[in-house]
């Protein structure tokens, strides 16, 4: 029925906010329908209405979730096995310095002290970084550069990683809890002003898998959006720490005794992620927007492709990353190269 609702209404409505308003007058239900904004880090009136199907329809199999045998870590291991079985090689601990071109085609990748050549070059470092840092804008048409310049990041995200006592009170079978705002649009207006709202929005995930360090303990993550701040300003870490404490207290209405059940906790701000892992923590590096479509995986330089959440298809980070990789592979195979 949710799929039918979008097909009936969504094609005539550009953004999620208007779509939710057209479906119900109940403000609480509207906020549930707008909850995708908390996942994408983009305000509801800037989210394309087709994202409605990602959260509530059957797009990309979101209505048929699964957990891969051996865990998600097994996926890159399987991919590595396929690469080596088919004569490919894998290089570790080597950052790409540039993509080698002859002005008309991508030829290879320059790594730390070596050049590797191939018929097709696939970058997963993001379309902006690929275009401007690895290739150089002189290799692309101006119209394409202009479209890439429109892309904006979603709001940054802070993560509070927690270890919980084994006796924590969880709803049977529930692993994701969300504290939604009364008005998502108002929440984003405050965040854009560089402040935390009085009533924020928070999520808590708990896998239900025991913590390997201590039998009976569970691990979980509390997440919330962080203000972008005014140009040239930053959000103080103390403010983020205070928001993390407020998030735990607010989530206790869904997970009773959450504060008392936390054995250990570690807060990582978006800038901690940048310092420790080399990238800013955002829900999506290119926020799906009604103002621009993401670019296809094939870039306007022969032999060059981009995969990940910064290119099509629309959706959250995992969706774009997995399906862009599939679409990219199909495009290369179709060309027979």
């Amino acid at each position: 029925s949710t799929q039918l609702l979008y097909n009936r209404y969504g094609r005539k409505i550009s953004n999620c906010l208007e779509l939710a308003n057209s479906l119900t007058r109940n403000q609480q239900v509207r906020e549930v329908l707008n909850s995708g904004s908390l996942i994408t880090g983009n305000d509801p009136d800037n989210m394309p209405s087709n994202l409605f199907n990602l959260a509530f329809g059957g797009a990309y199999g979101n209505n048929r979730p699964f957990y891969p045998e051996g865990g998600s870590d097994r996926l890159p291991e399987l991919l590595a096995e396929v690469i080596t079985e088919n004569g490919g090689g894998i290089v570790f601990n080597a950052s790409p310095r540039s993509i080698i071109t002859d002005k008309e085609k991508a030829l290879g990748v320059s790594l730390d002290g070596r050049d590797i050549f191939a018929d097709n070059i696939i970058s997963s470092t993001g379309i902006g970084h690929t275009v401007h840092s690895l290739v150089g804008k002189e290799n692309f048409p101006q119209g394409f550069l202009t479209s890439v310049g429109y892309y904006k990041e979603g709001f940054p995200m802070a993560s509070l990683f927690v270890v919980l006592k084994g006796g924590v009170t969880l709803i049977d079978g529930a692993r994701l809890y969300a504290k939604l705002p009364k008005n998502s649009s108002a929440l984003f207006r405050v965040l854009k002003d560089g402040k935390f709202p009085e009533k924020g929005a928070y999520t808590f995930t708990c896998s239900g898998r025991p913590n390997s360090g201590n039998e009976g303990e569970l691990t979980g993550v509390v997440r919330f959006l962080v203000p972008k701040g005014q140009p040239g300003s930053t959000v103080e870490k103390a403010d983020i720490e205070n928001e993390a404490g407020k998030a735990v207290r607010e989530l206790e209405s869904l997970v009773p005794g959450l504060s008392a059940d936390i054995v250990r906790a570690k807060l990582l701000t978006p800038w901690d992620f940048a310092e420790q892992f080399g990238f800013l923590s955002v829900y999506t590096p290119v926020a799906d927007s009604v103002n621009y479509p993401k670019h296809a995986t094939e870039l306007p330089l022969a032999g060059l492709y981009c995969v990940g959440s910064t290119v099509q298809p629309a959706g959250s980070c995992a969706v774009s990353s997995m399906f862009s990789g599939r679409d990219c592979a199909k495009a290369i195979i179709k060309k027979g190269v």
Side-chain angles (χ1 to χ4, degrees):
S1 62
T2 51
Q3 193 83 6
L4 291 175
L5 283 173
Y6 171 73
N7 290 338
R8 181 177 176 185
Y9 299 102
R11 300 185 190 280
K12 301 178 182 178
I13 300 173
S14 64
N15 65 68
C16 284
L17 180 65
E18 292 182 12
L19 179 57
N21 291 346
S22 72
L23 295 177
T24 178
R25 293 183 179 181
N26 186 300
Q27 184 60 33
Q28 287 183 313
V29 176
R30 285 178 175 177
E31 290 309 316
V32 172
L33 298 179
N34 286 326
S35 60
S37 63
L38 306 178
I39 299 172
T40 63
N42 196 11
D43 44 343
D45 62 359
N46 194 33
M47 286 176 53
S49 56
N50 60 17
L51 293 186
F52 185 87
N53 269 357
L54 290 174
F56 302 103
Y60 307 126
N62 280 4
N63 59 338
R64 302 184 303 277
F66 70 94
Y67 190 80
E69 184 177 349
S72 56
D73 289 346
R74 183 64 180 135
L75 296 178
E77 293 174 355
L78 290 170
L79 180 60
E81 291 173 10
V82 171
I83 291 172
T84 54
E85 288 172 0
N86 287 275
I90 301 173
V91 179
F92 296 96
N93 300 321
S95 300
R97 298 298 178 86
S98 65
I99 292 176
I100 305 167
T101 73
D102 63 358
K103 301 295 184 181
E104 295 182 357
K105 188 180 189 303
L107 304 175
V109 180
S110 178
L111 298 174
D112 300 331
R114 76 182 83 178
D115 293 339
I116 298 177
F117 295 90
D119 293 326
N120 297 287
I121 309 301
I122 304 171
S123 172
S124 63
T125 65
I127 190 169
H129 181 259
T130 300
V131 168
H132 292 286
S133 300
L134 295 181
V135 179
K137 62 181 182 180
E138 65 275 6
N139 291 281
F140 298 96
Q142 185 56 49
F144 170 74
L145 293 173
T146 300
S147 67
V148 172
Y150 289 140
Y151 295 169
K152 306 297 181 186
E153 288 181 337
F155 271 80
M157 171 190 69
S159 299
L160 178 68
F161 296 89
V162 297
V163 176
L164 306 168
K165 297 177 184 176
V168 62
T169 305
L170 299 174
I171 299 173
D172 187 30
R175 295 292 177 256
L176 170 63
Y177 303 81
K179 190 75 174 179
L180 300 178
K182 290 185 177 180
N183 187 310
S184 295
S185 296
L187 177 142
F188 277 95
R189 283 196 296 270
V190 176
L191 290 172
K192 287 178 181 177
D193 285 339
K195 299 176 290 186
F196 282 108
E198 183 178 346
K199 290 289 185 179
Y202 316 103
T203 63
F204 170 64
T205 54
C206 182
S207 66
R209 299 177 64 189
N211 174 37
S212 59
N214 220 326
E215 186 176 354
E217 294 180 344
L218 301 175
T219 57
V221 188
V222 175
R223 294 187 174 93
F224 53 91
L225 296 172
V226 174
K228 286 188 176 180
Q230 300 301 320
S233 68
T234 58
V235 180
E236 297 294 334
K237 185 165 185 175
D239 294 330
I240 301 177
E241 291 172 345
N242 290 336
E243 188 69 11
K246 187 169 73 172
V248 172
R249 293 192 295 273
E250 290 287 333
L251 286 164
E252 286 202 334
S253 62
L254 303 175
V255 185
L258 177 61
S259 297
D261 286 324
I262 294 178
V263 179
R264 294 184 297 280
K266 181 177 180 62
L267 175 66
L268 288 182
T269 72
W271 300 277
D272 290 330
F273 272 89
E275 182 178 339
Q276 297 183 30
F277 305 111
F279 58 89
L280 187 71
S281 175
V282 294
Y283 275 98
T284 178
V286 170
D288 290 274
S289 171
V290 296
N291 299 313
Y292 50 78
K294 288 182 178 179
H295 197 276
T297 57
E298 187 173 4
L299 303 191
L301 179 66
L304 180 61
Y305 300 82
C306 204
V307 297
S309 60
T310 63
V311 295
Q312 292 177 352
S316 62
C317 294
V319 169
S320 286
S321 297
M322 294 179 65
F323 283 88
S324 65
R326 182 198 63 180
D327 294 347
C328 178
K330 286 183 176 180
I332 292 174
I333 292 172
K334 186 176 181 179
K335 288 188 174 183
V337 178

